[in-house]
Amino acid sequence: IYVKNISMSYLSVNINDNCAKFGLSGALKRLGYSAKSDVIMCVGTDGVVGDSLAPMVGSLLKNAMPNAYIYGALDKPITALNVAPFYNKIKTLHPKSKILVIDAAVGSREDIGVVRVIDGAICPGLGVKKNLGLIGDIGIIGIVTKRSKLFMENLCSTRVGLVYSMASLISQSILMCLA
């Protein structure tokens, strides 16, 4: 995802903000997300550090919520190659559930480390010039690197520590929705 217009964001927080997880959790609750009944779809690959944000979130959540409906993790990622069939399968298996889609994004240098909650569908792949269509009912995107002509090099050289910090923040925020 490439983020250039924040008007679609419901909430934006920086990972260095001490209250970030409370803000993210509160935004998800206000949008009607329920960690007990809704579905989480984590889009990305473990083969590129910058794109591993969502699969990392999926793995963290699967360990914390083994009975939850979580699709996409480090061991079974949902990538550009299988996102459409997975999304259709999820909609068929869970027709009445909201689908929370999580993905990494590229943006401006100032936005690196920002996590955004989106009220509505997101379009994964745009940051790497792939249009995979709109998916989900609520989105969470984490801006992991800056947008440039060398987007793949930037995604490959993204710091693992940044991605892990963002994944921890997102997963903690979702877990707070259980309380």
Side-chain angles (χ1 to χ4, degrees), residues 2-178:
Y2 168 55
V3 177
K4 67 177 181 180
N5 180 355
I6 63 167
S7 65
M8 65 181 189
S9 294
Y10 185 79
L11 174 80
S12 295
V13 297
N14 189 290
I15 60 167
N16 296 319
D17 181 346
N18 291 334
C19 297
K21 69 180 172 185
F22 301 106
L24 290 175
S25 179
L28 290 171
K29 287 178 182 177
R30 284 189 297 281
L31 291 174
Y33 174 74
S34 168
K36 294 178 183 173
S37 62
D38 291 335
V39 177
I40 299 169
M41 182 177 177
C42 301
V43 180
T45 179
D46 62 335
V48 177
V49 174
D51 199 32
S52 67
L53 174 67
M56 202 175 288
V57 171
S59 292
L60 291 168
L61 289 174
K62 279 186 171 192
N63 287 334
M65 303 181 342
N67 297 321
Y69 299 115
I70 301 166
Y71 297 90
L74 292 171
D75 61 338
K76 293 183 183 173
I78 297 175
T79 68
L81 300 175
N82 62 4
V83 69
F86 253 105
Y87 184 60
N88 291 331
K89 177 182 175 182
I90 291 168
K91 286 189 340 186
T92 301
L93 290 172
H94 310 279
K96 295 182 180 181
S97 297
K98 285 190 179 189
I99 301 173
L100 171 63
V101 179
I102 302 168
D103 196 13
V106 297
S108 68
R109 182 181 303 277
E110 301 81 38
D111 284 339
I112 295 172
V114 168
V115 177
R116 293 194 172 126
V117 176
I118 309 297
D119 182 7
I122 63 172
C123 190
L126 287 181
V128 291
K129 300 183 179 170
K130 295 179 184 175
N131 185 351
L132 304 175
L134 288 168
I135 60 173
D137 301 299
I138 301 171
I140 296 179
I141 57 171
I143 302 171
V144 297
T145 193
K146 67 182 171 100
R147 176 153 176 90
S148 76
K149 292 179 183 175
L150 304 172
F151 58 86
M152 278 310 291
E153 288 84 354
N154 286 349
L155 284 171
C156 290
S157 64
T158 301
R159 290 180 33 249
V160 175
L162 171 69
V163 176
Y164 183 78
S165 294
M166 295 175 83
S168 293
L169 170 65
I170 293 167
S171 60
Q172 289 171 17
S173 300
I174 292 169
L175 289 170
M176 287 180 69
C177 289
L178 289 170

